[in-house]
Amino acid sequence: MKKTPLKRRTALRSKTRLKKQGKQPISRLQRELWELCKQLTRKRYGNTCYTCGKQNLEGSNWHTGHLIPKAALGAYQKYDLKVLRPQCYYCNINLGGNGAEFYRRMVQSEGSDYVQTLYEDRQKTVKAYDHYTKLIQDYQAKIKAL
Ligand SMILES: [Zn+2]
């Protein structure tokens, strides 16, 4: 009998384990969640860059940016629609999110209490897997209701 290569065997084993627990890999949840975030942010705020006002964004120039850099956010806020707005490539990538302008506009349009709360919420911790599962259900319902 032919032996299955070790790498393949390991892959099979971990797949089986995931199936037994009825769990998807967290990376898949994150990918799905980010797709939903992008769709909802686009629907809600359109195709104008939040930070520089550039209009008619499309294709790879139509980004979704975070008020606070994604790397500084935990599972609770990374996919929170409250911190997300459409941005152009230049603001999101070249200016690293254009944070100061993002902040200024956010205070202007949502009020300082709203922004203050977002900064305070950085301390909140959640179980990522459960939180993401809940958000996916929530956001899917939001999209259906559009
Ligand atoms: Zn921009």
Side-chain angles (χ1 to χ4, degrees):
M1 212 170 89
K2 233 174 143 189
K3 269 181 91 182
T4 314
L6 180 63
K7 221 176 163 185
R8 175 88 182 123
R9 265 186 284 156
T10 310
L12 283 172
R13 241 200 324 273
S14 67
K15 222 179 197 174
T16 310
R17 192 161 46 227
L18 286 166
K19 213 179 245 170
K20 268 187 192 151
Q21 294 174 344
K23 277 192 160 188
Q24 298 186 49
I26 198 154
S27 59
R28 188 184 294 173
L29 292 185
Q30 288 171 310
R31 258 202 314 278
E32 192 178 347
L33 201 42
W34 185 237
E35 258 328 297
L36 293 166
C37 284
K38 284 198 287 189
Q39 281 183 38
L40 285 166
T41 302
R42 285 172 173 211
K43 270 277 180 224
R44 196 176 290 180
Y45 300 102
N47 59 352
T48 299
C49 176
Y50 189 69
T51 42
C52 76
K54 191 176 196 298
Q55 294 179 326
N56 302 315
L57 303 177
E58 56 181 5
S60 59
N61 194 33
W62 195 4
H63 280 229
T64 302
H66 288 77
L67 165 68
I68 304 161
K70 202 173 170 183
L73 296 176
Y76 182 70
Q77 277 183 313
K78 236 172 231 181
Y79 303 95
D80 183 353
L81 298 174
K82 289 204 282 289
V83 304
L84 300 173
R85 295 293 184 277
Q87 278 193 308
C88 69
Y89 180 95
Y90 185 76
C91 286
N92 192 35
I93 305 297
N94 295 44
L95 299 180
N98 203 354
E101 190 57 26
F102 210 128
Y103 180 86
R104 201 183 67 78
R105 295 205 181 215
M106 200 79 139
V107 168
Q108 207 172 52
S109 61
E110 312 288 348
S112 51
D113 286 355
Y114 178 97
V115 179
Q116 181 69 37
T117 304
L118 292 178
Y119 275 84
E120 284 165 11
D121 281 352
R122 282 184 303 171
Q123 310 301 324
K124 285 195 183 176
T125 54
V126 287
K127 275 188 156 181
Y129 199 94
D130 299 342
H131 186 64
Y132 293 166
T133 308
K134 210 178 95 226
L135 279 184
I136 287 174
Q137 287 169 353
D138 182 24
Y139 290 176
Q140 277 172 342
K142 275 195 165 80
I143 282 175
K144 259 192 201 142
L146 285 172

